[in-house]
Amino acid sequence: MGGYKHIERAVARFIAGRYRSVIEAGAGTNLHAASLLFRAGILIRCVDIIYPPPRSFIPYDWDDVLNPQTGLYHGCDCIYAIRPVEEMVQPLVRLAGSVNADLVIYHLGFEGTDRPAPLTGCEVPLHLYVKN
């Protein structure tokens, strides 16, 4: 599991260097990247279809990206997802476009064929789907 923390640290460093207001979609119970961003002073919120872990200090809302409450996302610079299931990608693309936010994804594996080339400047392969 230690390898995953390396991925989350790399994603957090990349995002913290470029954005001021972000939302992690599909955060689940692993809030490592989100907590690093929060501690770095980045305005952040997590969303998922599960409820937040107990004693979480990260702002966290219940939301389904397949039918999102777009008001939760207005004003953010970036929506990001770490290892989202493939079914989430296209709804996230639509959501990010509708709220004028960048969409950055670290993929679970090599599923899907319709993805942009990895971004430069990050030590793990991040993909930028929507650039505003």
Side-chain angles (χ1 to χ4, degrees):
M1 206 61 174
Y4 291 128
K5 298 304 178 205
H6 162 73
I7 291 166
E8 292 154 352
R9 282 191 303 271
V11 170
R13 274 194 300 271
F14 180 86
I15 289 172
R18 288 160 181 80
Y19 301 102
R20 301 308 321 149
S21 176
V22 299
I23 294 175
E24 182 174 345
T29 60
N30 183 354
L31 304 181
H32 188 68
S35 66
L36 293 171
L37 289 166
F38 186 80
R39 289 179 180 142
I42 306 299
L43 297 175
I44 186 163
R45 167 183 292 147
C46 294
V47 297
D48 204 331
I49 59 172
I50 66 168
Y51 289 98
R55 299 178 300 280
S56 172
F57 60 91
I58 306 293
Y60 194 114
D61 288 294
W62 187 97
D63 194 42
D64 183 352
V65 297
L66 301 179
N67 186 23
Q69 303 172 59
T70 56
L72 292 174
Y73 303 85
H74 285 291
C76 74
D77 302 325
C78 176
I79 299 169
Y80 74 97
I82 300 174
R83 297 181 293 275
V85 294
E86 190 171 2
E87 294 79 16
M88 290 174 62
V89 175
Q90 286 308 311
L92 284 170
V93 168
R94 287 190 298 275
L95 174 61
S98 75
V99 297
N100 297 316
D102 288 358
L103 174 62
V104 176
I105 295 179
Y106 176 84
H107 285 280
L108 182 61
F110 296 100
E111 68 282 341
T113 58
D114 200 19
R115 78 170 60 156
L119 290 165
T120 58
C122 187
E123 58 197 84
V124 297
L126 289 178
H127 301 271
L128 177 64
Y129 282 86
V130 177
K131 172 91 171 130
N132 290 300

